[in-house]
Amino acid sequence: MAYYGKCIETVIEKLDKFTPKRDNPEQFLQAVAISLQALSPQMQSFVSEVLSGCLEYRKLLTVVVDAFYVEDGRLCLRVDRSRFMVICYLATFLLEELGFQLFCNIIKSQPVDKMCKFLRFFFNPLHLCSWIKDEWSLIYEPAHVKENWLDPLMRWQPKVQELINHLEGMSASQSSPLKTKAKVTEPKEFNLTAPRPRTIPAPEPVPVVAKPRPVPQSTYQPPKEQQQLEMVKRHNRRKAEELLLRANIEELRCAMPRSCGEPVQGSKQQLRLQFPPRIRKTPKLTFYRPDNVPVKLNTTAILREGALYQRQVEQELQRVDKLVDGAGDFSEFLEWQKKMQAKDREEQLAASECRRLQGKLSHEEAVLARQSLMQENKQRVEQQKEQMAKLMLQHAETRLREDRSRKQLVEQVIEGQKNVKAAQTKLAKGRRQTVQEVIEESRGLLRRRAQVAQEEQRRRCELISQLRALETQPTRKGKLVDLTQTPGYGLEGEMSIVELRERLALLKENQQRKEEEKRDQIIQGKRTKSQELQNTVEQISLCRAAMGRSAALRWEEKKALAAAPEAPSQDERVQQLRRRISERAAERSRQAALLHVSAPRAAGPKPRAQLEAQHWLELERSRERRLQALQQGGSGPGPARRLEAA
């Protein structure tokens, strides 16, 4: 029995070292054969044969072993996985070669309980005929699986059942005397010294928190400043509208000469806008568009825009002062500028008309080129058809040659399969001889393993005795700490922990008081900044309203100018392009009539002539829109008009 156990342990040891992802089976078997040279020839042949068979049929064996661990082997160790794979291989592939007696000896050399569980699970007829057959049939042919593996296992099942019953009786007989001889460990109490009673620490004083002040009722009421602010806004808006109306009526009076004794109407202080008095609370800094969508401005944008409007007001005041002092007028320059702009506008219209006509001319030329291209494509299609017929004939000939070569290859494979059975009979004889050799060598391995196990058990007993001796040694315990006592090291500023905590509490109170003072200063600064921003926002709103009205007046003037009728263009380039387009259209119609070429397919049910007419109509409309934009000034409304529209 020891010899058989030694052989199986050698196979298990080598199989545990194999990793499918890293090792190559052939190279692994060669390395194992080199390491087994110290053993007898019979043992070498048995170990190499069983190991190669386990690697070859690893998928079949893995199916059975994994199912065993899931169902009956939940309490078995994963270390015995290779052991179960070797037993499964011997029972499936080598049971008839070894003989039932030799197989029983190998099973008895292994742990009895594990072998009983595995053999009862594997030789269960329900398992063999159901899921094992289905899983193995997915890997190999179903007929081969049933004839060579499952039928022999079913024939050996009654004898294997007797072996399982015999092993269960052996395990019951071995376990009963062990229970009577086993010595129960009796625990003993440790001789420990009783700890000293601990002193109860003094309770810490509960801090008294000052009662908070209640929330004032004014927090839940709307402030009166908002109503006052609305009244001031309405008053200022009415005042600004009156000033704007007066400025529009008397805008040219400042350029008229006046007598020496006539006083100047208004001064810099009177012309400046009147702003409302400062209010403590700042409302939301938002402007409203005509569609009631609020536009929020940040502090930087408000200050920047306020400075811009302030500069514009100062520049306007300087211009009025210069006109009062007798400076010149820009009316002549403005008339000259309008004439030059009208001239530039006419040139742009002529250029746009030239571009439109050039596009139409290029369209006519493209139609002529497409008609010539259609004739060339017809000739190319005929040539491609002739070449395609030749290629089809060549492809049919190559298909016939490939079919003949496949038939010859199938005949060669059938002849090779006939010689496989003779090789299998020779291999079975060689395996029987190697099994006998392996059994003899396995006995020596079992003896050595028993000696190593005894040495390991003795070493463990020594370690356990040393650990118990260490546990019985007494340990020292720390002393209690008094927080009110100074350490007494003789250092400057030495104090107890209680005094240190009191000083830290005083420092925290001073730091908190400084933070409160700083927070009050920051809040006061924010209030002053918000008041300044409010004043700037109101000034910006007044300036925007005034600029919007002036931009509306300018926009009405531009619309009146744009409504004037347009004179037809008399440019020579435009007339020349129109003549060329008419010539190309006539030439295209003549060529289509001669070649009998139908019009190309359109994208929808409409004819091509209708689509072209619609295309040119859209071009005319876009040209008219560009003309109106150029007449209105080319660049669109100014920033004041865009601001009012937004």
Side-chain angles (χ1 to χ4, degrees):
M1 299 256 181
Y3 177 76
Y4 304 138
K6 180 181 178 182
C7 295
I8 299 301
E9 291 294 334
T10 305
V11 176
I12 293 169
E13 181 183 356
K14 300 300 180 183
L15 190 61
D16 288 336
K17 296 180 181 179
F18 177 75
T19 54
K21 295 182 180 179
R22 185 185 61 188
D23 298 335
N24 188 7
E26 296 180 357
Q27 297 178 358
F28 181 74
L29 291 173
Q30 292 177 1
V32 169
I34 294 171
S35 63
L36 295 176
Q37 292 180 358
L39 303 177
S40 61
Q42 294 179 354
M43 186 177 292
Q44 289 181 12
S45 61
F46 178 77
V47 171
S48 60
E49 182 179 358
V50 174
L51 186 60
S52 63
C54 291
L55 295 178
E56 182 179 359
Y57 299 102
R58 185 179 183 84
K59 293 183 180 179
L60 298 179
L61 304 178
T62 304
V63 170
V64 178
V65 175
D66 289 344
F68 169 71
Y69 273 106
V70 172
E71 292 186 9
D72 296 345
R74 295 188 185 91
L75 301 179
C76 295
L77 300 176
R78 291 287 175 177
V79 181
D80 297 328
R81 181 182 178 84
S82 300
R83 187 186 307 277
F84 294 136
M85 291 179 69
V86 172
I87 298 301
C88 183
Y89 173 75
L90 293 176
T92 306
F93 298 96
L94 299 180
L95 184 56
E96 294 183 357
E97 296 181 10
L98 296 175
F100 187 72
Q101 186 61 37
L102 186 57
F103 180 74
C104 292
N105 295 335
I106 293 173
I107 294 299
K108 291 177 181 178
S109 65
Q110 302 302 316
V112 179
D113 297 337
K114 298 176 182 179
M115 292 298 104
C116 286
K117 288 183 180 180
F118 183 74
L119 291 176
R120 189 185 304 108
F121 170 79
F122 181 54
F123 281 93
N124 190 351
L126 182 61
H127 294 172
L128 290 172
C129 297
S130 59
W131 61 268
I132 292 178
K133 180 181 178 181
D134 297 338
E135 293 292 334
W136 286 3
S137 298
L138 295 175
I139 303 172
Y140 292 93
E141 291 293 333
H144 180 74
V145 170
K146 185 177 184 305
E147 181 181 355
N148 296 331
W149 298 331
L150 293 179
D151 291 345
L153 289 173
M154 292 299 295
R155 287 197 303 269
W156 287 105
Q157 197 273 338
K159 292 186 178 181
V160 173
Q161 188 63 36
E162 294 177 0
L163 175 62
I164 293 170
N165 297 333
H166 178 66
L167 292 175
E168 289 178 352
M170 290 176 59
S171 62
S173 62
Q174 290 177 2
S175 61
S176 57
L178 289 175
K179 291 182 180 179
T180 58
K181 294 180 181 180
K183 294 182 179 180
V184 180
T185 304
E186 297 179 357
K188 296 181 180 180
E189 291 189 14
F190 293 103
N191 188 11
L192 302 175
T193 56
R196 295 179 181 178
R198 295 185 179 181
T199 58
I200 299 173
E204 295 182 358
V206 180
V208 179
V209 182
K211 187 177 181 180
R213 292 182 296 176
V215 179
Q217 294 296 329
S218 60
T219 305
Y220 306 103
Q221 297 175 359
K224 298 179 180 179
E225 286 80 0
Q226 290 184 358
Q227 299 178 1
Q228 297 176 2
L229 183 62
E230 292 295 332
M231 293 173 62
V232 172
K233 281 184 178 180
R234 287 195 295 270
H235 175 70
N236 288 341
R237 186 176 184 84
R238 195 181 306 110
K239 204 170 193 179
E241 289 177 354
E242 292 175 359
L243 290 174
L244 178 63
L245 183 60
R246 189 185 303 169
N248 291 333
I249 294 172
E250 302 176 357
E251 58 182 353
L252 299 177
R253 187 173 295 179
C254 60
M256 297 174 63
R258 66 178 185 274
S259 60
C260 298
E262 185 179 356
V264 180
Q265 293 182 0
S267 60
K268 290 185 179 180
Q269 288 77 11
Q270 294 176 353
L271 291 174
R272 289 183 181 275
L273 296 175
Q274 297 295 329
F275 298 102
R278 294 186 178 181
I279 301 172
R280 287 185 298 173
K281 190 172 181 181
T282 304
K284 293 184 178 178
L285 306 178
T286 58
F287 294 105
Y288 293 92
R289 296 184 180 180
D291 52 357
N292 297 327
V293 179
V295 179
K296 293 185 179 180
L297 300 178
N298 55 8
T299 306
T300 306
I302 292 170
L303 295 176
R304 189 186 293 115
E305 193 168 0
L308 175 63
Y309 288 139
Q310 187 66 30
R311 286 197 301 271
Q312 291 179 358
V313 170
E314 292 176 358
Q315 291 175 3
E316 186 67 20
L317 291 174
Q318 292 176 4
R319 189 180 68 82
V320 171
D321 291 341
K322 289 180 181 179
L323 290 174
V324 169
D325 294 338
D329 194 6
F330 292 95
S331 59
E332 296 179 358
F333 172 74
L334 293 175
E335 292 178 359
W336 175 82
Q337 188 178 19
K338 287 181 181 179
K339 291 180 181 179
M340 297 304 294
Q341 287 178 356
K343 187 177 180 181
D344 294 340
R345 204 177 302 120
E346 291 178 358
E347 292 179 357
Q348 290 178 2
L349 291 174
S352 64
E353 182 67 17
C354 289
R355 286 195 296 271
R356 184 183 69 81
L357 295 175
Q358 286 175 359
K360 196 170 182 179
L361 179 62
S362 63
H363 172 71
E364 296 292 339
E365 292 177 352
V367 171
L368 292 173
R370 185 165 60 250
Q371 290 177 355
S372 61
L373 183 63
M374 288 173 66
Q375 294 291 337
E376 295 178 359
N377 289 338
K378 286 181 180 179
Q379 297 176 0
R380 290 178 184 175
V381 167
E382 293 177 357
Q383 295 177 0
Q384 291 290 336
K385 287 181 179 178
E386 294 176 358
Q387 294 178 1
M388 196 67 186
K390 294 179 182 179
L391 291 174
M392 291 296 291
L393 291 174
Q394 295 177 1
H395 181 66
E397 293 176 358
T398 54
R399 287 284 299 275
L400 290 173
R401 286 196 296 270
E402 290 177 357
D403 291 341
R404 292 171 186 171
S405 61
R406 289 196 191 97
K407 289 180 181 179
Q408 294 177 1
L409 183 62
V410 169
E411 292 175 357
Q412 293 176 3
V413 171
I414 292 170
E415 291 178 358
Q417 289 179 353
K418 293 179 181 178
N419 299 327
V420 172
K421 293 183 179 179
Q424 287 180 352
T425 55
K426 292 181 181 179
L427 183 62
K429 293 179 181 179
R431 287 179 177 177
R432 290 193 190 96
Q433 294 177 1
T434 54
V435 167
Q436 295 294 335
E437 295 175 357
V438 168
I439 290 171
E440 293 177 358
E441 293 179 358
S442 62
R443 293 174 182 173
L445 290 174
L446 289 174
R447 294 195 203 96
R448 295 175 191 173
R449 191 176 183 83
Q451 293 176 1
V452 172
Q454 291 177 0
E455 291 292 332
E456 184 69 19
Q457 185 67 21
R458 184 180 58 78
R459 187 175 61 81
R460 288 179 180 176
C461 292
E462 293 178 356
L463 289 174
I464 290 169
S465 62
Q466 292 176 4
L467 291 173
R468 288 180 178 175
L470 290 173
E471 289 177 354
T472 57
Q473 292 180 358
T475 56
R476 295 181 179 180
K477 298 181 179 179
K479 64 179 181 177
L480 298 175
V481 178
D482 189 4
L483 300 179
T484 59
Q485 185 178 1
T486 56
Y489 295 120
L491 302 175
E492 292 183 359
E494 189 174 10
M495 66 185 72
S496 63
I497 295 175
V498 175
E499 186 179 356
L500 179 62
R501 289 176 180 174
E502 292 177 355
R503 292 193 178 187
L504 288 174
L506 293 174
L507 288 174
K508 287 181 181 178
E509 290 178 0
N510 294 332
Q511 186 177 3
Q512 189 174 5
R513 186 173 60 256
K514 291 179 181 178
E515 289 178 355
E516 292 292 336
E517 293 176 357
K518 190 174 182 180
R519 190 178 293 110
D520 294 338
Q521 293 176 2
I522 292 170
I523 291 171
Q524 188 65 26
K526 286 183 178 180
R527 288 177 180 173
T528 56
K529 286 183 180 179
S530 64
Q531 184 63 36
E532 293 176 359
L533 287 176
Q534 175 62 31
N535 298 334
T536 307
V537 166
E538 294 174 356
Q539 181 182 1
I540 289 170
S541 63
L542 294 174
C543 292
R544 281 186 175 181
M547 292 180 69
R549 290 187 183 86
S550 62
L553 294 174
R554 290 196 300 271
W555 182 253
E556 293 296 334
E557 293 177 359
K558 288 182 180 179
K559 285 177 68 176
L561 291 174
E566 178 188 359
S569 177
Q570 301 295 333
D571 196 351
E572 294 181 359
R573 295 179 297 172
V574 175
Q575 295 177 0
Q576 185 178 2
L577 287 172
R578 287 176 179 170
R579 289 195 300 270
R580 290 180 64 186
I581 289 169
S582 61
E583 292 174 0
R584 293 292 183 183
E587 184 180 356
R588 176 170 60 84
S589 60
R590 288 196 302 271
Q591 188 175 1
L594 292 173
L595 297 176
H596 301 287
V597 178
S598 62
R601 290 177 297 176
K606 296 181 180 179
R608 182 174 181 80
Q610 187 176 358
L611 291 175
E612 290 181 357
Q614 185 178 1
H615 172 67
W616 292 113
L617 182 61
E618 291 178 357
L619 290 178
E620 289 291 341
R621 290 176 180 172
S622 64
R623 174 175 168 274
E624 291 176 359
R625 288 195 295 270
R626 289 198 300 272
L627 178 61
Q628 291 178 2
L630 290 172
Q631 289 177 353
Q632 291 171 5
S635 61
R641 178 61 182 170
R642 288 198 298 271
L643 181 61
E644 183 184 10

